[in-house]
Amino acid sequence: MSDFWVSSGHHLLDRNEDGWLVPTDAFLKAYFARPELMPPEEACDAERALHAALLADPKRPVTADEIAGLADEDARENWEVMLAFRDRLLAHPTLEAAYLDLVRGGMSGTPPLFVNQLTQVILRNSLEGCTDAFVLRSAELFFRTQRSSVHEGALLLADAEVVELQEESRRNTAPLLMMFSGPTITELDILDAENEASYGHRNEAFDLVLSFGGGLSSRAGLAKAIEIWVRHLLGVAVSVEPVAHAEEADWAWFVGLDVDSMRVGNQLWRGEATRDADLERIIGLFALRFDDPAEAFPSIGDRPVWLFLSTTPDGMVRMKPQNLIAGLPLRGPAETS
C-alpha cells in the first residue's frame, strides 16, 4: 500500500532510536500555516509580524506582552491556545512523550482538535508498514467521529464529517429527492474484500463505510489497532479479541473506550441498575489480555480486561483512545520491583 494519512504530517517529523516522533521546525510550521492562524486582511501589524516571525522560527519564544499587543481578541485567544500547545509539545523529547503527559496530566485547555491531530500522527507512526485496509479504516475511529446507522440489519459506521457534507450537498441540489431517498450512508462505499485495495488512494477522503455489526470478524480490525496502539505507547504486548458477551460474572477490570461506555461500565461494576437503552448502544465488546500477566495488577492475572465501545444517544461514536493509556491496570515501578 502507498503512504497513508499524509495530512497528519508524519513525513515532516524525525524519529529517535526507539521510533518515537521528534518535533521539527517543518512540523510546527505546518501548524502555523493553518487557515485558523493565517492573519486575515484586517489583521493588525503586530499579528502579521508575529505570524511571520513564527514561520521563520517556529520554536521562537513568545512573550505575554506580544500576545497582549494583538488588536483582535479572537486572535489573542487563538495564539494563546496554539502557543500553549506548541510549548507543551516542545517540553518533551517526542510527540509520544508529550501525548502521555497530556493524557496522564489532564487535557484541560487543550482543544479536542489538537488532541485528535496528535493522536492521528502518533497512530500513523505506530501503523508504519501496515497494509491491512480493515485495520487502517478501523483505526480512523481513534481520531475521527463516526456516525452509526443500521441498514438491512447491518450496523454501519461512516465518517460523521463526510456524512454531514453529503447531506448538505443533497439538501442543496435535490431537497425533494432527499425526502424520499434512503439514508445518506447508503450512498457511500462499504469497505469489503473487493474494494479494500482502494483504501490506498482514498484514505485521505475518509469516505469508506465500516461494517461493524456483521459478526466478530467485522471488529477484528479495531482489535488489532488497539493492540498496536498499546504496544507503541506503553511498550506492553497485549492481545485483543472481539467477543459477543462478557462471560465472567466477576470482572477483573474494564475500560470504557468513550464517555458513555465509561458511565455504563461504572454502573455495571458497582452493580447498579442500567437502562436497557444504554446496554443496547454498546456496539463493541473486546477482551484484552496481557501477554505477560506480570505486567498487570496482581489481581488481574491472566483474566481479561473488558473494553466497551458505545454510541451516543444520537448515534455518534466518539472513541477516546487515551482511556487505554490512562485506564489499563499496569503495574508501576514500585509494584514490579
Side-chain angles (χ1 to χ4, degrees):
M1 180 180 293
S2 60
D3 198 3
F4 60 96
W5 303 349
V6 174
S7 64
S8 69
H10 74 95
H11 57 292
L12 301 175
L13 292 154
D14 293 331
R15 286 158 182 79
N16 68 7
E17 59 186 14
D18 297 319
W20 282 17
L21 300 169
V22 178
T24 62
D25 285 358
F27 181 75
L28 295 174
K29 284 182 181 180
Y31 267 100
F32 295 134
R34 290 181 61 87
E36 298 91 336
L37 292 175
M38 291 293 291
E41 293 182 4
E42 65 275 14
C44 66
D45 292 341
E47 183 178 352
R48 294 182 183 280
L50 176 61
H51 185 258
L54 286 167
L55 283 179
D57 181 8
K59 296 178 182 177
R60 169 188 180 274
V62 177
T63 67
D65 288 343
E66 287 181 275
I67 300 298
L70 303 182
D72 184 75
E73 181 180 355
D74 290 338
R76 291 196 296 271
E77 182 178 357
N78 286 344
W79 280 108
E80 285 174 350
V81 171
M82 178 65 235
L83 290 169
F85 180 66
R86 180 204 65 171
D87 292 345
R88 192 158 193 172
L89 295 184
L90 295 179
H92 301 274
T94 64
L95 295 189
E96 282 88 346
Y99 180 84
L100 290 173
D101 178 69
L102 188 67
V103 170
R104 292 165 174 164
M107 296 188 178
S108 177
T110 303
L113 174 64
F114 287 171
V115 177
N116 288 339
Q117 290 171 344
L118 190 56
T119 299
Q120 182 185 9
V121 73
I122 293 172
L123 187 58
R124 170 60 184 82
N125 188 38
S126 68
L127 289 168
E128 179 68 30
C130 180
T131 59
D132 189 326
F134 292 92
V135 174
L136 298 178
R137 173 59 184 89
S138 297
E140 293 176 16
L141 272 69
F142 281 58
F143 58 92
R144 291 186 70 90
T145 300
Q146 306 290 306
R147 184 187 293 187
S148 66
S149 179
V150 177
H151 181 64
E152 296 181 350
L155 174 65
L156 305 177
L157 300 183
D159 190 272
E161 184 177 328
V162 170
V163 173
E164 183 178 351
L165 291 173
Q166 191 89 348
E167 288 178 345
E168 183 178 350
S169 176
R170 289 172 64 179
R171 284 193 296 267
N172 293 336
T173 58
L176 290 178
L177 181 61
M178 186 174 180
M179 296 174 60
F180 301 100
S181 58
T184 302
I185 197 171
T186 62
E187 298 179 1
L188 302 172
D189 293 335
I190 299 175
L191 179 64
D192 57 26
E194 294 183 0
N195 64 19
E196 62 178 308
S198 70
Y199 188 88
H201 66 260
R202 64 196 294 183
N203 63 88
E204 293 282 6
F206 302 109
D207 62 350
L208 281 168
V209 176
L210 187 64
S211 178
F212 207 70
L216 299 181
S217 62
S218 66
R219 298 185 283 281
L222 183 59
K224 185 64 177 178
I226 291 172
E227 292 177 1
I228 294 170
W229 177 251
V230 171
R231 180 188 290 269
H232 181 75
L233 280 167
L234 298 178
V236 176
V238 298
S239 62
V240 180
E241 177 188 6
V243 294
H245 55 85
E247 298 178 356
E248 296 188 3
D250 179 23
W251 294 356
W253 201 267
F254 86 93
V255 175
L257 299 178
D258 56 88
V259 172
D260 289 82
S261 290
M262 283 298 296
R263 177 178 55 80
V264 173
N266 280 323
Q267 290 174 343
L268 293 171
W269 183 272
R270 294 190 294 260
E272 299 174 356
T274 305
R275 297 190 310 166
D276 290 342
D278 290 337
L279 294 174
E280 290 171 358
R281 288 193 287 104
I282 295 177
I283 62 172
L285 177 62
F286 304 86
L288 178 149
R289 289 180 170 84
F290 291 89
D291 288 11
D292 181 1
E295 293 184 312
F297 290 169
S299 60
I300 303 300
D302 58 359
R303 291 189 294 170
V305 174
W306 299 108
L307 311 179
F308 297 92
L309 181 67
S310 297
T311 68
T312 63
D314 59 353
M316 296 296 184
V317 179
R318 296 187 176 92
M319 183 173 166
K320 292 185 174 296
Q322 60 266 33
N323 290 1
L324 288 163
I325 306 305
L328 287 180
L330 290 170
R331 292 196 189 194
E335 296 168 306
T336 55
S337 60

